[in-house]
Amino acid sequence: MKATLIYGAGDIRVEEVPDPRVQHPTDAVVRVLRTCICGSDLWPYASRPATREGDRIGHEFLGVVEETGADVSRVKRGDIVVAPFAYADNTCRFCAEGLHTSCPSGGYWATDGVDGGQGEAVRTPFADGTLAKLPVGEDSELLPSLLTLSDVFCTGHHCAVTAGVGPGTSVTVVGDGAVGLCAVLAARRLGARRILLMGRHRSRTDLGRDFGATDVVPERGEEGIARVRESTDGDGTRAVLECVGTLPALETAFGVVRDGGVVSRVGVPQYEDGPVGPSMFQRNLTLTGGVAPARAYIEELLPDVLDGTVDPGRVFDRTAGLDEVPDGYRAMADREALKVLVRP
Amino acid sequence: MKATLIYGAGDIRVEEVPDPRVQHPTDAVVRVLRTCICGSDLWPYASRPATREGDRIGHEFLGVVEETGADVSRVKRGDIVVAPFAYADNTCRFCAEGLHTSCPSGGYWATDGVDGGQGEAVRTPFADGTLAKLPVGEDSELLPSLLTLSDVFCTGHHCAVTAGVGPGTSVTVVGDGAVGLCAVLAARRLGARRILLMGRHRSRTDLGRDFGATDVVPERGEEGIARVRESTDGDGTRAVLECVGTLPALETAFGVVRDGGVVSRVGVPQYEDGPVGPSMFQRNLTLTGGVAPARAYIEELLPDVLDGTVDPGRVFDRTAGLDEVPDGYRAMADREALKVLVRP
């Protein structure tokens, strides 16, 4: 079959790889109907050292179960399923409390010999725990929105939930990428009153308005902080959803949060140390969030996707075949595309 | 009157200063019955640059209202009152939600022309908002415990509350100073199941056991982290109360917290940047806490102090007169004394 590999910064190739097969009794093989490129894939695309052997890449997919191991009972051949961006057994003490990303048996796609999502098929560890069944057909028009349950919509939701967003909360979202826009959607879904979206890409912030942003702040840094504060009686918002992952984004988040408020982040930190000294302490700020346990949220969010209450699939503004994946990376890196949907 | 001044590291003097008087209609003058030396006073005592003019110091006191401004109506001459370590108007939007330390009219004792607590009397700004009345007499045996409502017991409570401690929570307390011990007491009061106290001073950790610690971990650093993890099935505890303020203490806190758990800190950070990068993110850890809005908690904690349910005054292991305050600093810095109560 074909799959996507990364050989280093800017070097994405689609190549023949061995067909995936059940290796453990808890495995399933899923034929991929839809996958996509993630903003977080752009980090290695920007900076990964070159290697002679490529590594698989991609962590978002939905598809059809083709083969199951002997111990798999919850999903069966022919089921349409979506995979969260981390696999997990869904039975351990961490999974039981919704923290699937800390599952001792779990892990990430495209690491440690596990397939990446950007390919024609994927061997799925702990299939019973990992995969969520979708009550749709292979030709459903909802596939793009359902695919966002793999990562970006669940991640935006995790950001809003851990920030404590509820009815009436004032929220700033830092970043107008797919996760930021999904965070807007999730915050509105949870009842946020005022949602200020910090972003400067008009086509993205327009979608952000459709998703529920009440204000768009295109300025960055100190200027952006001043704009948010002016718009909120000088105080900032109670919740800030940091959906970028850079240190300046975190600094902006601390700048726009109200004293006593919460900064939640779901962009993978591109820093080791952050500004958590006396100022944060004096203001009683909370820093929370983290890698989203997407699996924990799929069943909760699924009904709203199925009935069209939310349409997170609108973050996809380009569709590509598998052979076009390298150009999809380029287009996202060049900001030509917000998020590229892939039909293998 | 006499009051305590700091002239630099190691240089504490008790000197004659002008008697405090009502300067604003919202002021009151409080004659101090009890004050004390705080662990946080030891930071300037250790490192403050020498100055020709001394600065007032001290931020914990209870006493008798002696004089009130024209606009003061809630407290009156003769009332026994305790002051939180930050004054505040108790009417603004931040005070209304219990974040008195962010009151725009508020501030700290011994700064900006406001008296310090370690003296014979204190001019108290926003007396109606700042002072909490105590239903006891000048000779009450409860004065030491009531004085801890000024800071250390409320601070320990704030740490436990912001860490989400409730019935059944597993807790690690980092630090066996007065605040750490009060955090143990607060955590037990809130229903914590297991309380591991990290501290190496036997007399202090013995008091910690009396206050509710179920385990004492004398080891530090990696060794201490390993001990806590061994004692908690390898996972660490859901809540960690960091009551020191140094970077190693914060690192220990992150080391002993369970994935998905909360580190709350109430020791003033002696660092600007902290380790909040990919590891914290991957583990979905929360960092919270901050300077305690003690005023918000006094009425809630007062009944348990009055009826003896808690006895946080046991953190005082030495009593001094005002002239002995310099030696009290020395004794605390040398770890001869845990916390020094002062009777001016």
Side-chain angles (χ1 to χ4, degrees):
Chain A
M1 70 155 191
K2 284 183 175 172
T4 307
L5 292 92
I6 182 166
Y7 281 79
D11 190 358
I12 300 287
R13 308 181 201 173
V14 176
E15 298 182 341
E16 278 294 326
V17 299
D19 285 345
R21 302 186 56 176
V22 165
Q23 294 178 15
H24 304 287
T26 50
D27 286 350
V29 172
V30 175
R31 173 169 55 86
V32 175
L33 292 170
R34 297 288 186 282
T35 177
C36 54
I37 305 172
C38 186
S40 66
D41 292 330
L42 298 182
W43 295 117
Y45 185 71
S47 62
R48 183 155 164 150
T51 51
R52 287 179 69 97
E53 307 257 314
D55 285 308
R56 300 284 284 275
I57 190 166
H59 54 265
E60 300 152 287
F61 64 96
L62 61 70
V64 186
V65 176
E66 296 253 296
E67 186 189 352
T68 55
D71 292 349
V72 175
S73 60
R74 215 181 49 78
V75 297
K76 61 179 193 307
R77 184 179 167 86
D79 283 348
I80 309 279
V81 292
V82 63
F85 69 89
Y87 61 86
D89 62 22
N90 210 8
T91 59
C92 76
R93 61 199 186 285
F94 287 104
C95 289
E97 59 192 63
L99 198 64
H100 296 71
T101 45
S102 289
C103 174
S105 305
Y108 292 95
W109 307 108
T111 57
D112 301 325
V114 176
D115 295 337
Q118 292 162 6
E120 291 182 306
V122 176
R123 179 180 70 84
T124 301
F126 301 101
D128 271 348
T130 301
L131 298 170
K133 283 195 271 194
L134 301 174
V136 297
E138 289 196 28
D139 54 354
S140 169
E141 289 183 355
L142 292 173
L143 293 190
S145 281
L146 292 166
L147 178 59
T148 67
L149 296 173
S150 211
D151 184 345
V152 288
F153 187 39
C154 288
T155 293
H157 178 70
H158 181 62
C159 199
V161 167
T162 52
V165 174
T169 309
S170 62
V171 178
T172 304
V173 176
V174 181
D176 60 6
V179 170
L181 298 176
C182 284
V184 170
L185 190 62
R188 189 185 58 173
R189 181 180 168 280
L190 291 167
R193 176 178 56 85
R194 183 101 183 270
I195 304 173
L196 296 93
L197 172 59
M198 301 188 79
R200 53 167 56 194
H201 304 90
R202 182 61 187 271
S203 61
R204 300 177 181 196
T205 57
D206 283 351
L207 180 54
R209 286 189 192 274
D210 285 355
F211 277 178
T214 54
D215 305 68
V216 168
V217 178
E219 294 87 350
R220 289 184 175 189
E222 289 304 320
E223 209 182 342
I225 292 169
R227 265 289 302 281
V228 172
R229 289 195 164 265
E230 278 162 25
S231 307
T232 53
D233 298 328
D235 287 344
T237 58
R238 285 179 193 275
V240 179
L241 314 186
E242 197 281 273
C243 301
V244 179
T246 61
L247 195 55
L250 183 65
E251 290 164 347
T252 295
F254 282 131
V256 299
V257 68
R258 190 178 192 275
D259 282 18
V262 180
V263 171
S264 178
R265 56 182 179 166
V266 288
V268 184
Q270 304 301 305
Y271 50 84
E272 289 293 332
D273 293 315
V276 294
S279 168
M280 179 186 173
F281 180 86
Q282 171 58 40
R283 298 177 58 211
N284 271 282
L285 302 182
T286 295
L287 177 63
T288 187
V291 60
R295 185 66 190 85
Y297 299 124
I298 294 177
E299 278 82 0
E300 178 184 351
L301 298 174
L302 183 58
D304 282 6
V305 174
L306 290 173
D307 71 11
T309 302
V310 292
D311 47 2
R314 292 181 65 195
V315 296
F316 296 112
D317 58 351
R318 182 175 294 198
T319 302
L322 200 52
D323 289 337
E324 298 162 305
V325 165
D327 189 60
Y329 273 81
R330 183 207 54 74
M332 282 177 61
D334 291 348
R335 307 248 176 189
E336 260 176 38
L338 169 55
K339 190 167 177 74
V340 175
L341 183 71
V342 180
R343 301 171 67 134
Chain B
M1 71 156 190
K2 283 184 176 173
T4 305
L5 291 93
I6 180 166
Y7 281 79
D11 189 358
I12 300 286
R13 308 181 200 173
V14 176
E15 297 182 342
E16 277 295 325
V17 299
D19 285 344
R21 304 186 55 178
V22 165
Q23 294 177 16
H24 304 286
T26 50
D27 285 350
V29 171
V30 175
R31 172 168 56 86
V32 175
L33 292 171
R34 297 289 185 281
T35 177
C36 54
I37 305 172
C38 186
S40 66
D41 293 330
L42 298 182
W43 294 119
Y45 184 72
S47 62
R48 184 155 165 151
T51 50
R52 288 179 70 95
E53 307 257 313
D55 285 308
R56 301 283 285 274
I57 190 166
H59 54 264
E60 299 153 285
F61 64 96
L62 61 70
V64 186
V65 176
E66 296 253 296
E67 186 190 352
T68 56
D71 292 348
V72 175
S73 61
R74 215 180 50 77
V75 296
K76 61 180 194 304
R77 184 180 167 86
D79 283 348
I80 308 279
V81 291
V82 63
F85 69 88
Y87 61 85
D89 62 22
N90 210 7
T91 60
C92 76
R93 61 199 186 285
F94 286 104
C95 289
E97 60 193 64
L99 198 64
H100 296 71
T101 45
S102 289
C103 174
S105 305
Y108 293 94
W109 307 108
T111 58
D112 302 326
V114 175
D115 296 337
Q118 291 162 4
E120 289 181 308
V122 176
R123 179 180 70 83
T124 302
F126 300 102
D128 272 347
T130 301
L131 298 170
K133 283 196 272 194
L134 301 174
V136 297
E138 290 195 28
D139 55 355
S140 169
E141 289 183 356
L142 293 173
L143 293 189
S145 282
L146 292 167
L147 178 59
T148 67
L149 296 173
S150 212
D151 185 345
V152 287
F153 187 38
C154 288
T155 293
H157 178 69
H158 181 61
C159 199
V161 167
T162 53
V165 174
T169 309
S170 61
V171 178
T172 305
V173 175
V174 181
D176 59 6
V179 170
L181 297 176
C182 284
V184 169
L185 189 62
R188 188 185 57 173
R189 181 180 168 278
L190 291 166
R193 177 180 55 86
R194 182 99 184 269
I195 303 173
L196 296 92
L197 172 60
M198 300 188 78
R200 52 168 57 195
H201 304 89
R202 182 63 188 270
S203 61
R204 300 177 181 197
T205 57
D206 282 351
L207 180 54
R209 286 189 191 274
D210 284 357
F211 276 177
T214 54
D215 304 70
V216 168
V217 178
E219 294 87 351
R220 289 185 175 188
E222 289 304 320
E223 209 182 343
I225 292 168
R227 264 290 302 279
V228 171
R229 289 194 163 266
E230 277 162 27
S231 307
T232 53
D233 297 328
D235 287 344
T237 58
R238 285 179 193 273
V240 179
L241 313 185
E242 195 282 273
C243 300
V244 179
T246 60
L247 195 56
L250 182 65
E251 290 163 347
T252 295
F254 281 130
V256 298
V257 68
R258 190 178 192 274
D259 281 16
V262 180
V263 171
S264 178
R265 56 183 179 165
V266 289
V268 184
Q270 304 301 305
Y271 49 84
E272 288 293 332
D273 294 315
V276 294
S279 168
M280 178 186 174
F281 180 87
Q282 172 58 40
R283 298 176 58 209
N284 270 282
L285 302 182
T286 296
L287 178 62
T288 189
V291 60
R295 185 65 189 85
Y297 299 124
I298 293 177
E299 277 82 359
E300 179 184 350
L301 298 175
L302 182 58
D304 282 7
V305 175
L306 291 173
D307 71 12
T309 303
V310 292
D311 46 2
R314 292 181 65 194
V315 295
F316 296 111
D317 58 351
R318 182 176 295 200
T319 301
L322 200 52
D323 289 336
E324 299 163 305
V325 165
D327 189 61
Y329 273 80
R330 183 206 55 73
M332 282 177 61
D334 292 348
R335 307 252 176 184
E336 260 176 38
L338 169 56
K339 190 168 176 73
V340 175
L341 181 71
V342 180
R343 302 171 66 136

